[in-house]
Amino acid sequence: MEKNQYSIFESELRVRPDDIDMFNHVHNSKYLDYVLAARYEQMEKFYGMPWEHFTKQDLGWVVSHVDINFKRPLLMNDLMLIRTGILNMNDKGCSVQFEIINQKTGKVASDGIFDYVLIDLNTSRGTKVTEEMIKAYSI
């Protein structure tokens, strides 16, 4: 992951039976779920701005683009470490880099970038990221 002025946070998850596909490894769509679950936890735990902080203001973060690399499979019951960190942030949204590491092997199973935009939940249109948000995310 690229080191920059933003912090990198970690969350742990375990592969569940319903994550497994017909080839006996994690289905590619589940990697997206893992990153979103980790980010949700990290927003509250590290930034002090849980998802509900935004929804109470009729705001929401939505994914506008994902770039994901699948490097190695994850298997049933593997324990993984999901690292995420803001890559860049502007008045329209942010890019979040991630990597998913298999804790047994220490190797990266997947990495990539999520682009998020902030929307007004009443109009479903983009809205400006506030200075308060930028400051909170700049740790």
Side-chain angles (χ1 to χ4, degrees), residues 54-69:
F54 296 96
T55 57
K56 286 178 185 173
Q57 299 175 60
D58 292 323
L59 299 172
W61 290 101
V62 296
V63 176
S64 62
H65 179 84
V66 177
D67 182 16
I68 186 167
N69 304 300

Side-chain angles (χ1 to χ4, degrees), residues 5-71:
Q5 76 268 25
Y6 300 104
S7 297
I8 294 172
F9 302 112
E10 297 179 345
S11 296
E12 281 188 345
L13 289 173
R14 186 173 299 278
V15 173
R16 301 172 353 147
D18 56 326
D19 297 342
I20 302 299
D21 66 12
M22 66 181 139
F23 302 114
N24 284 328
H25 57 67
V26 171
H27 188 271
N28 59 350
S29 66
K30 293 297 182 176
Y31 290 78
L32 303 174
D33 292 340
Y34 297 155
V35 175
L36 293 173
R39 265 327 264 180
Y40 182 86
E41 172 192 60
Q42 294 164 5
M43 286 172 68
E44 180 174 12
K45 186 175 180 181
F46 300 111
Y47 298 118
M49 295 180 85
W51 192 262
E52 295 78 12
H53 173 85
F54 296 96
T55 57
K56 286 178 185 173
Q57 299 175 60
D58 292 323
L59 299 172
W61 290 101
V62 296
V63 176
S64 62
H65 179 84
V66 177
D67 182 16
I68 186 167
N69 304 300
F70 300 100
K71 298 183 173 197

